[in-house]
Amino acid sequence: TWFTMVGVTGLVTVLLLLRHARRDQVDRGAVATAVITTYLAAIAGGIAIPAVIELATTGRPRFVGMTSFWGYLVGTVAMIEACRRARVPLGWMADRITPALGISLGLIRVGCFLAGCDYGQITSVPWAVRFPRASAAWRDHVEHGLVPATRAASLPVHPTQLYEAALGVAIALMAWQYNRRWARVGSGRTFVAAAAAYCGVRLGIENLRGDGVRGFVGGLSSGQVFALTVLAAIAVAAATAAWRRRAAALGS
């Protein structure tokens, strides 16, 4: 189910970007090349880098799933390089692809929910869910003695996958409105605003996650470290841009 959703997101992204390319008079072939390159690089990076880290830390070569933020990082780098090679305006690509990225996040996290990975902490909230026997949450609860092995389902947990899916839908809607009404498409502001929103909310969602295999650094999960790093980079870039504008104004 997860890989099915990944495939659907790639198709949706290509179709949306080709539509915008036709409307904005951007080379559709170049856009398709850049999008496909970005998509494949993100998938490969999200799968390969965690596997390499696992091999380096445990000495065991094995598939450990996909880590979303490594995929985002590799995909962003690939998008920059693909746009340069295909001569697609990077700012245009960043702003136009953002709504599609929100949709992709929603679909992929639904895939995570159906697969049972990235589950949340045990909770009594009315919308809590129980995952079936042999799921990741069930195995975790059995291993920690929280439920017997004869139990047909896990304890109720936060559906953190659906929280992030809802975030993806919200990002898609806000980015679409932002592009349509307020932002000058091509400035890259839509992409940056969406990245900041995602990282800010991801910090909170990580506190509700129950899977302990995603890695921790100094009490923070790897996802939180990534989110804080991106937010810091955005803050530094914004401060640098503001300083340059002030210096230019004083110089004139």
Side-chain angles (χ1 to χ4, degrees):
T1 53
W2 183 84
F3 279 104
T4 298
M5 288 299 183
V6 169
V8 171
T9 62
L11 180 61
V12 168
T13 302
V14 169
L15 292 177
L16 288 177
L17 265 293
L18 289 179
R19 179 186 176 191
H20 286 306
R22 182 176 63 250
R23 180 183 302 172
D24 298 340
Q25 298 182 341
V26 179
D27 186 341
R28 298 177 70 195
V31 169
T33 299
V35 171
I36 293 172
T37 300
T38 299
Y39 172 78
L40 294 177
I43 298 300
I47 293 174
I49 293 178
V52 171
I53 294 175
E54 176 73 9
L55 176 62
T57 55
T58 67
R60 295 178 298 173
R62 66 188 183 98
F63 173 74
V64 293
M66 178 177 179
T67 302
S68 59
F69 56 81
W70 284 121
Y72 299 148
L73 178 61
V74 174
T76 299
V77 173
M79 183 174 70
I80 295 171
E81 179 61 17
C83 285
R84 185 187 69 81
R85 288 179 175 272
R87 297 183 180 180
V88 175
L90 178 59
W92 177 89
M93 174 67 84
D95 287 343
R96 286 303 192 195
I97 204 173
T98 302
L101 292 178
I103 295 173
S104 298
L105 174 61
L107 290 173
I108 289 175
R109 283 310 186 186
V110 168
C112 290
F113 178 76
L114 296 175
C117 56
D118 301 339
Y119 54 90
Q121 296 177 4
I122 299 170
T123 182
S124 60
V125 297
W127 56 87
V129 297
R130 296 176 185 267
F131 287 97
R133 180 192 301 273
S135 65
W138 180 88
R139 290 195 302 269
D140 183 19
H141 294 172
V142 170
E143 289 173 2
H144 285 84
L146 301 176
V147 297
T150 55
R151 186 81 169 262
S154 71
L155 293 174
V157 297
H158 279 287
T160 46
Q161 312 95 326
L162 299 184
Y163 297 165
E164 203 164 334
L167 172 61
V169 173
I171 287 175
L173 292 174
M174 288 188 294
W176 176 70
Q177 287 290 334
Y178 198 70
N179 281 341
R180 184 168 174 252
R181 295 187 177 184
W182 299 294
R184 180 174 61 84
V185 173
S187 65
R189 292 177 181 175
T190 303
F191 180 82
V192 173
Y198 172 77
C199 290
V201 178
R202 177 73 184 263
L203 285 172
I205 293 177
E206 283 288 311
N207 289 326
L208 301 176
R209 290 271 293 267
D211 53 323
V213 298
R214 62 194 189 278
F216 292 84
V217 179
L220 297 175
S221 71
S222 55
Q224 288 175 320
V225 172
F226 171 79
L228 289 171
T229 301
V230 172
L231 289 173
I234 291 173
V236 170
T240 301
W243 179 82
R244 287 177 177 174
R245 287 194 299 269
R246 189 178 302 111
L250 292 175
S252 60

